[in-house]
Amino acid sequence: MEKQKAVEMAYQIATLTYPSDEVLDFLMNLPYERTLELLLILRRSPRPVHSPLNFLRRAVAEEWQTETAPRKISRKAQEMAVQSYMKKGLTREEAEARYNSWHK
């Protein structure tokens, strides 16, 4: 079975919906095993996922694993911390990376 068809079927099993082109493009750029892992995380989410693409992007960016559940964070506190790091001379990406490394 070709990878795209396998990813489409796995996504349908996980969400009971057909993947959008953006989601499919995003998942096709990942190794197949990681795609399956992300779809399992998506399926096991304790809350409804309204934006699967954003959920998957965050899962990749924060390196979620099947053993770790997504955690709720205060976006306001996160933004304040990132701004604080940026005032110290870091770029936004560096500040977010530093915040994420401290809050794993």
Side-chain angles (χ1 to χ4, degrees):
M1 180 183 309
E2 69 179 68
K3 181 179 177 185
Q4 182 170 343
K5 185 149 180 79
V7 169
E8 288 173 1
M9 291 179 71
Y11 185 90
Q12 288 175 352
I13 290 168
T15 65
L16 302 178
T17 62
Y18 192 80
S20 68
D21 290 338
E22 295 87 10
V23 170
L24 194 54
D25 289 342
F26 180 77
L27 293 174
M28 290 300 294
N29 291 322
L30 300 172
Y32 185 65
E33 292 80 16
R34 181 65 174 146
T35 298
L36 293 177
E37 192 174 49
L38 291 172
L39 292 175
L40 178 60
I41 294 168
L42 178 69
R43 177 73 181 142
R44 293 176 57 190
S45 174
R47 301 178 74 190
V49 176
H50 299 291
S51 177
L53 181 58
N54 289 338
F55 183 93
L56 293 168
R57 284 181 180 156
R58 184 172 173 207
V60 168
E62 296 180 9
E63 300 176 0
W64 292 349
Q65 302 296 317
T66 54
E67 300 83 29
T68 58
R71 56 189 158 74
K72 185 172 182 153
I73 60 171
S74 167
R75 295 289 180 193
K76 183 176 180 179
Q78 179 187 23
E79 186 57 29
M80 289 173 54
V82 167
Q83 291 296 324
S84 172
Y85 288 130
M86 288 174 64
K87 286 179 183 175
K88 294 178 182 177
L90 298 176
T91 65
R92 175 166 279 284
E93 292 78 22
E94 292 169 335
E96 288 174 352
R98 177 149 320 160
Y99 176 84
N100 291 333
S101 70
W102 281 96
H103 293 90
K104 281 192 173 189

